[in-house]
Amino acid sequence: MTNPAMRADGTPIEVLLVEDDPGDVLMTQEAFEEHKVRNRLTVVSDGAEALAYLRREGEYTNAVRPDLILLDLNLPRRDGREVLEEIKKDDELGRIPVVVLTTSAADEDILRSYQLHANAYVTKPVDFERFIAVIRQIDEFFVSVVKLPPRA
């Protein structure tokens, strides 16, 4: 078994998945497990919960600040676009890389996400093998290639 992906300070990489579709959550978890992605994956299922987690409110007062956020756009309670906007206008949260990972290939969603300062926009493949490959590529890029900012 491989060691967890580590930050420069020796702590594992923390990934927050904001996704309301249980099937997509399961595929993401399986992609992490199947390909020995050893960073820690935390899942929240709607936009309001994502913001509470990131702001360490309510049940999330002891939440670990994520190093990377995988964000679906079409979420209950608070839409992913609203969540992205809230994250990027916050001085502390705004430096966390956000990858929009969604089924939408609509030009207006892509444009709006980049206007709101998403770090990347990825359309979810429907095929399981392609989905796993995409998750692995995101992980490899943001964990192995990109230098992440220090945690606040």
Side-chain angles (χ1 to χ4, degrees):
M1 194 174 285
T2 59
N3 290 331
M6 298 286 176
R7 297 180 56 84
D9 65 4
T11 59
I13 302 293
E14 300 284 344
V15 179
L16 177 64
L17 174 63
V18 186
E19 174 61 67
D20 65 316
D21 183 309
D24 288 347
V25 169
L26 185 60
M27 283 199 301
T28 304
Q29 290 169 328
E30 287 181 14
F32 272 57
E33 291 166 13
E34 185 170 319
H35 289 283
K36 306 295 186 254
V37 176
R38 290 291 177 218
N39 37 29
R40 292 188 189 149
L41 181 68
T42 301
V43 180
V44 294
S45 60
D46 66 57
E49 190 179 3
L51 290 172
Y53 182 93
L54 291 166
R55 292 173 177 153
R56 298 177 176 145
E57 297 170 345
E59 67 182 282
Y60 299 112
T61 54
N62 295 319
V64 176
R65 181 67 39 90
D67 299 301
L68 175 65
I69 300 169
L70 303 178
L71 176 67
D72 188 19
L73 289 183
N74 302 310
L75 296 167
R77 294 176 65 199
R78 296 284 300 266
D79 182 76
R81 294 157 200 82
E82 293 175 55
V83 173
L84 179 59
E85 186 172 17
E86 290 292 318
I87 290 169
K88 292 301 182 176
K89 74 180 186 184
D90 182 288
D91 287 341
E92 280 188 38
L93 301 177
R95 55 186 172 192
I96 302 170
V98 178
V99 175
V100 173
L101 184 61
T102 186
T103 54
S104 173
D107 288 344
E108 59 268 19
D109 285 336
I110 297 167
L111 180 61
R112 182 73 180 130
S113 294
Y114 282 116
Q115 286 172 335
L116 293 171
H117 307 290
N119 297 85
Y121 189 102
V122 178
T123 303
K124 291 179 201 168
V126 291
D127 170 77
F128 179 70
E129 292 304 317
R130 284 282 308 129
F131 187 90
I132 285 180
V134 164
I135 295 296
R136 192 174 73 218
Q137 288 169 342
I138 291 169
D139 175 70
E140 286 173 3
F141 182 71
F142 280 96
V143 173
S144 302
V145 177
V146 171
K147 184 100 170 123
L148 294 169
R151 283 193 195 121

